[in-house]
Amino acid sequence: MKKVITYGSFDLFHEGHYNLLKRAKQLGDYLIVGVTTEQYDEARGKLNIIDSLDERIENVKKTGLADKIIVEDHVGQKVEDVQKYDIDIFTVGSDWIGSFEYLRDYCEVVYLERTKNVSSTMLRTKQHPIIRIGVIGTGRIAERFVPEAKYVSGVIVHSVYNPHIESARNFAEHFELDLYSDDIEAFLKSVDAVYIASPHETHYEYAKTALEHHKHVLCEKPMAFRKAQAEELFQIAHRNNRVLLEAIKTAYCPGFAQLVGVARSGAIGQIRDVEACFTRLTPDNLRETTDTEYGGGFTEFGSHTLLPIMKLMGTDYQEVRFDSILAENGIDLYTKASFRYKNGFALSKSGVGVKSEGQLIIAGTKGYILAESPWWLTQSFEVRYEDPNKRDKYFVKFLGQGLRYEISDFAYMINGHQGRSYKFTEEESIAIAGVMEEFLKQRKQGTNEA
Ligand code: CTP
């Protein structure tokens, strides 16, 4: 019996897939089809798969061509499968010519002709027109955003807005954007969605204006400094049926999503304490340290540290207390925010003038999770127990600067798929704005100074 194996994502199952499976089957007597998991696709840069793994498997099954269907979830699995299933022929479409020569050590490799003029990518684009994104603000983060957006299919960064036209022009020229403007109305007319990367205190106003103009909004953190403002933004978004997402990139990274999943799985028992630290020594001529109203360690990095706290301990804390070391100009160089919950605690440490170990520790009744610095670009974490010999280490791929994940989820939601909104919820976003508000109030009153 001649055994054949082939692999694919088989998203939005189409004629090309059917033809490929039919030809693959004709190569032998028994056909195994490997269908990729979402995580594996993400790890190899395919961020926009629409159908769930179940649906994709079901579609392959429905063809009646596969004798066995397996799931492909890691690099190197093909070599394992070929040996494990005693495969005679490995086959894929001709778009992969040359990519699988290494398998010739184990079996025959056949590249089948690809069906012309159809692909999942084409169908995804047809189903959902390209989303034109406009960038508001031209600072450091905006410069990282544009190259990252190129990795997400279905979106294009089209224009840029800055009240200083020179900055807008330079940015547009540098990134070869179609349009730049200092006129917010004209700018908004040119786009479907905006990415807000302007100074912190302007986020809320820009987000509000964009949502009122029926634009989807991806807003840099902190989205708002007041809880009521965050609530209002989400209300407008609902009313106008637009997507509003706060851009805390960690929330959308596959590694962090997995960490949250493991923490909530019961692996460490009940979660009782979350401790998150993020510090970066910042020169004293930058906005973070010179903006006496909204600069400082907590407004800058607190969104990062509050994310795992709100996600894992919940948004219903009973009490929060801030302790800060202040600079002469009044901004906080270092802040500890201590939360008390019904069944536990949480601690956020953030700073621009004090350096500490940037780690995340999630303590539970059976063990704990340690994610080492930089945990906010989660690539690995470890589950540890009382018995030091028992440790589970997880490694997860993190591509580029990581912004591509939030852009991909943003596009996915704009296209009407809600499946990823759990990664960072409206409630969590609003709660974080509430903590920021409380912090700024106390800093103003000077009651948080060490
Ligand atoms: N395939 C094919 N003809 C097409 C499209 C795909 O023969 N028109 C083959 C691929 O070469 C591969 C298998 O079908 O062997 C599964 O491909 P997959 O990557 O899932 O499909 P694509 O449509 O190429 O997906 P995408 O656009 O996301 O890359």
Side-chain angles (χ1 to χ4, degrees), residues 143-174:
E143 285 172 7
R144 277 187 258 152
F145 181 86
V146 184
E148 284 276 319
K150 294 205 166 73
Y151 291 95
V152 182
S153 70
V155 307
I156 178 166
V157 180
H158 171 73
S159 44
V160 60
Y161 165 84
N162 192 311
H164 309 289
I165 193 74
E166 266 307 301
S167 305
R169 183 188 305 136
N170 290 341
F171 192 90
E173 275 169 11
H174 184 230

Side-chain angles (χ1 to χ4, degrees), residues 324-335 443 446 448-450:
S324 296
I325 295 168
L326 301 185
E328 269 174 24
N329 66 0
I331 62 129
D332 59 304
L333 294 168
Y334 186 60
T335 291
R443 191 171 76 175
N448 57 348
E449 192 171 359

Side-chain angles (χ1 to χ4, degrees), residues 3 26 83 95 98 127 134 143 187 200 209 264 296 306 309 318 328 335 338 350 380 384-385 392 423 425-426 445 448:
K3 281 176 145 187
Q26 284 163 359
Q83 297 176 89
D95 47 323
Q127 251 188 17
E143 285 172 7
F187 162 79
H200 291 172
T209 308
R264 284 186 174 163
L306 293 179
I309 292 175
Q318 294 174 324
E328 269 174 24
T335 291
S338 319
S350 53
S380 71
R384 296 183 180 177
Y385 303 93
D392 300 318
K423 292 192 190 170
T425 67
E426 176 175 333
Q445 292 165 349
N448 57 348

Side-chain angles (χ1 to χ4, degrees), residues 22-75:
K22 203 161 84 186
R23 289 181 205 141
K25 176 85 175 185
Q26 284 163 359
L27 290 173
D29 311 300
Y30 188 85
L31 176 64
I32 302 181
V33 181
V35 183
T36 50
T37 61
E38 257 167 69
Q39 286 90 335
Y40 180 55
D41 276 322
E42 269 185 350
R44 61 196 187 117
K46 268 196 173 189
L47 303 176
N48 48 0
I49 301 291
I50 290 181
D51 289 341
S52 68
L53 178 59
D54 281 359
E55 287 166 318
R56 292 180 288 123
I57 289 177
E58 198 47 43
N59 287 334
V60 171
K61 200 183 272 171
K62 272 194 219 143
T63 64
L65 294 163
D67 296 290
K68 185 178 182 66
I69 298 175
I70 58 171
V71 167
E72 183 185 26
D73 66 3
H74 61 271
V75 187

